Amino acid sequence: MRTVSRALTLILVGGVVAALLVPSSASARVSMTKAKVEQWLASTCTTFETQAAFKTRTARLPNKMLNADGYDVTRFTKYNVYTSDSYRLNACLSLIEKANSFSGNRKNRTITFAPGTFKLSNAIFVPSDTTVVLSSGTTINKLMTTGISGVRASSSMFQTISPTRALRSNAVKGYDGERNITFRGPGDGSATINMMGTVHPAFDKVYGVVIGHASNVRVEGIRFRNNHLGHFLEVSASQDTVVKGNDFVNDVRGDGKAGTKANPNAEAINVDTPDSRTKGVNYTWGAMDRYGNNRLTIEDNDFLYQNRAVGTHVMSAVARVTTPRKQEDWSLRYHTAVVLKNNRIVDSRFDAVKMLNWRSPVLEGNLIDGITTRRNASNNLPATAVISQGAENPTIRNNRFVDVPEPMLVRTYDSPHYSFTNARGVTEKLRSINTYPTQGTLQAHWCSNQAQGPADRVALFSAGKDAATAERILAKEPWRRLTVYKNTYRSGSSVGQIVSEVLMPWRSSASASIDTPSECSTR
């Protein structure tokens, strides 16, 4: 008996090891010519049906759903009510990849989910030049069972990788992976990707869409629901990514109920690097080359009840020399040109945005309304809307902060994954470095923000638990003379005085300020 190629027969697995999935002995292979591939795409994949509709339509057909290898996936031994949607959808996407491989035949192709409920037990591999459309009334749920002994469900729902490269080690690197992929909904909240608050039995984290080593990926007009410990979107080593007009709703939080955990790093959108040290984006097909993201735009989205809306929580670096002895012996990897614009972030649990090794980020026109945890449990500092840890020349303007303990926190980050032995034989952790624009530019940006509620500072520097640590860090930081400005605040109809907060001259404490109200009040 001839078997299906490894890449397509293991397509169900999605990064989780399982037995080889082969067709039953009754399965016959069809020769997949260009015409045959186009025929199956048109008849079966243009509109992706619910299981019930598919079963009714194909009841009398000899072949019901062919993949690119020419096998009917409905005859596979592990095709069942749990795996059906994953098998069928991956078959369609393998046909798209096959169709675009014929000379002169490449174009963007669309799969449209019909209204109804779909269940994904295992990862869906999306190749280049594909548009996945969710209709009004489409709901895609994450399953944590395959109904098959010894075959786990995957930890993700969608991955931007072609079926033929999905299980090859280091198949893509840098930004040379898939390109021109769109996930699109109607934009009115009627099309949903529901992660179901699931926790993977082996990995904990579950992901909605993994965007890795890719270019020109768009996610727009979809409602994402019920993250727990993972991320709705994992964006890593990708460029020209746009996330626009989506709703990210409800993180299943640690509230004392059995099976739930609180995790401040469970961002709705995680901005990450593929890195074996940090375990960032740990998928077989992607090289662990520590590439940052380049040109990531997150615009006009609603984030409701998240642990954190957008952020990076680990950093990556590459040693410049064989034996690094000091901070300067490392090249930090940055995420460049991350833009958050006109988003609405409501009732975050821990903080709203965390910038860690972001170069030239822009935060503009966002509403951050409510931080429900008032103080950080680990250091008793006030909870913060925006955390800057290793931000280089950020632009933060025309934002509105409502009911947040602190609008912004500027501090360093000591990596638990990168360390070196200095010339004195002492082990040091690699540290992020904040670099800010000129005082005049910063003033113009910061004075344009508004705060409403209890916030009485714009920024707070935290270096650690003791003043000596603060002094050592400040001696190295290029922003030690940084001036930041208090936002306007409102109480009823009255507008409070706009003042500035100067973090220099520095005193022997972990934070210090001198009020000089003249700078912003002259605007």
Side-chain angles (χ1 to χ4, degrees):
M1 180 186 71
R2 298 178 70 182
T3 60
V4 186
S5 66
R6 180 175 186 269
L8 292 180
T9 54
L10 282 175
I11 208 167
L12 176 66
V13 182
V16 181
V17 177
L20 184 68
L21 306 180
V22 298
S24 68
S25 58
S27 180
R29 186 178 186 184
V30 176
S31 177
M32 299 303 283
T33 64
K34 176 180 175 182
K36 184 67 71 174
V37 170
E38 294 289 1
Q39 174 192 336
W40 274 92
L41 279 173
S43 65
T44 309
C45 298
T46 301
T47 298
F48 190 74
E49 304 162 295
T50 62
Q51 285 188 40
F54 173 80
K55 187 174 181 179
T56 298
R57 182 180 63 80
T58 62
R60 297 180 180 274
L61 297 179
N63 287 312
K64 304 178 189 304
M65 182 67 250
L66 296 184
N67 64 16
D69 269 3
Y71 286 100
D72 184 352
V73 300
T74 68
R75 299 184 184 183
F76 282 19
T77 56
K78 294 180 173 63
Y79 180 94
N80 60 32
V81 66
Y82 303 102
T83 63
S84 169
D85 290 343
S86 296
Y87 261 122
R88 292 189 299 118
L89 187 53
N90 272 322
C92 284
L93 292 165
S94 75
L95 290 172
I96 286 180
E97 183 185 18
K98 181 80 169 180
N100 281 340
S101 71
F102 292 110
S103 178
N105 207 45
R106 178 168 292 279
K107 63 181 180 180
N108 192 281
R109 298 167 187 272
T110 299
I111 292 181
T112 300
F113 279 84
T117 300
F118 300 83
K119 298 174 289 186
L120 299 183
S121 59
N122 292 85
I124 303 304
F125 302 132
V126 184
S128 295
D129 300 301
T130 300
T131 297
V132 178
V133 175
L134 280 64
S135 302
S136 180
T138 296
T139 298
I140 306 175
N141 292 331
K142 179 72 180 92
L143 291 187
M144 269 301 140
T145 181
T146 64
I148 306 166
S149 178
V151 179
R152 287 188 185 134
S154 69
S155 61
S156 62
M157 298 179 73
F158 294 91
Q159 299 177 20
T160 59
I161 188 68
S162 69
T164 57
R165 296 198 283 192
L167 293 170
R168 283 168 41 199
S169 295
N170 300 318
V172 293
K173 62 183 184 303
Y175 305 129
D176 71 357
E178 309 307 310
R179 58 188 64 243
N180 305 327
I181 295 173
T182 298
F183 300 88
R184 179 184 300 143
D188 58 4
S190 63
T192 302
I193 292 178
N194 189 351
M195 291 167 58
M196 304 292 288
T198 51
V199 176
H200 196 276
F203 311 118
D204 278 352
K205 292 182 179 180
V206 175
Y207 306 94
V209 181
V210 176
I211 303 170
H213 297 287
S215 298
N216 194 26
V217 176
R218 297 183 66 91
V219 181
E220 53 191 26
I222 299 171
R223 170 163 284 198
F224 291 83
R225 296 189 61 204
N226 298 323
N227 176 40
H228 184 194
L229 300 184
H231 312 290
F232 290 120
L233 301 182
E234 172 84 7
V235 186
S236 175
S238 295
Q239 64 180 0
D240 299 316
T241 306
V242 176
V243 181
K244 186 172 183 178
N246 304 282
D247 298 335
F248 299 92
V249 182
N250 191 30
D251 185 278
V252 181
R253 307 177 186 189
D255 55 4
K257 296 180 182 178
T260 65
K261 301 177 184 178
N263 180 8
N265 294 329
E267 297 95 350
I269 302 176
N270 183 32
V271 184
D272 206 354
T273 51
D275 188 338
S276 58
R277 293 199 190 197
T278 65
K279 307 301 181 186
V281 203
N282 194 16
Y283 288 89
T284 303
W285 45 263
M288 292 292 180
D289 53 13
R290 308 176 194 179
Y291 265 63
N293 292 285
N294 186 30
R295 298 188 297 273
L296 166 61
T297 299
I298 301 168
E299 182 176 4
D300 198 27
N301 302 281
D302 287 343
F303 298 86
L304 306 176
Y305 320 124
Q306 302 300 309
N307 282 328
R308 176 183 295 140
V310 182
T312 301
H313 56 264
V314 291
M315 65 183 246
S316 295
V318 176
R320 300 174 188 268
V321 298
T322 303
T323 307
R325 295 293 187 190
K326 54 185 182 297
Q327 173 89 21
E328 292 74 16
D329 289 339
W330 294 87
S331 176
L332 304 181
R333 289 300 178 95
Y334 284 86
H335 303 287
T336 303
V338 178
V339 176
L340 275 68
K341 189 174 183 180
N342 298 334
N343 300 287
R344 292 157 296 281
I345 305 172
V346 177
D347 284 349
S348 294
R349 178 168 182 148
F350 295 102
D351 48 78
V353 178
K354 184 174 181 178
M355 304 184 293
L356 173 55
N357 281 14
W358 289 14
R359 174 172 286 152
S360 302
V362 176
L363 277 63
E364 183 172 6
N366 302 287
L367 168 65
I368 300 177
D369 186 350
I371 302 292
T372 60
T373 299
R374 309 310 289 182
R375 284 192 174 271
N376 188 316
S378 64
N379 54 24
N380 202 37
L381 291 172
T384 312
V386 177
I387 298 177
S388 174
Q389 289 184 302
E392 182 176 295
N393 297 326
T395 296
I396 306 172
R397 63 189 176 198
N398 297 322
N399 301 287
R400 186 179 175 207
F401 302 94
V402 177
D403 192 23
V404 298
E406 297 280 356
M408 185 173 175
L409 169 67
V410 180
R411 67 180 300 177
T412 55
Y413 170 84
D414 289 341
S415 172
H417 305 104
Y418 286 88
S419 61
F420 56 92
T421 303
N422 65 25
R424 302 186 307 277
V426 177
T427 299
E428 290 188 33
K429 292 181 178 180
L430 193 63
R431 174 169 292 142
S432 64
I433 297 178
N434 291 280
T435 307
Y436 278 77
T438 64
Q439 177 171 318
T441 303
L442 184 64
Q443 176 182 345
H445 291 173
W446 220 192
C447 290
S448 69
N449 297 290
Q450 291 187 346
Q452 177 179 340
D456 59 3
R457 292 175 182 264
V458 168
L460 172 71
F461 175 85
S462 173
K465 296 181 179 180
D466 61 271
T469 301
E471 295 294 344
R472 285 199 304 271
I473 294 174
L474 284 169
K476 300 178 181 179
E477 290 287 359
W479 48 267
R480 59 186 179 275
R481 296 179 62 88
L482 169 68
T483 302
V484 294
Y485 297 89
K486 181 166 182 169
N487 308 285
T488 60
Y489 65 92
R490 296 181 183 276
S491 177
S493 59
S494 62
V495 179
Q497 185 183 35
I498 309 172
V499 299
S500 69
E501 180 174 333
V502 183
L503 300 185
M504 194 295 173
W506 201 262
R507 298 194 288 269
S508 295
S509 64
S511 65
S513 65
I514 300 173
D515 287 340
T516 54
S518 60
E519 288 88 346
C520 281
S521 60
T522 58
R523 287 174 60 245

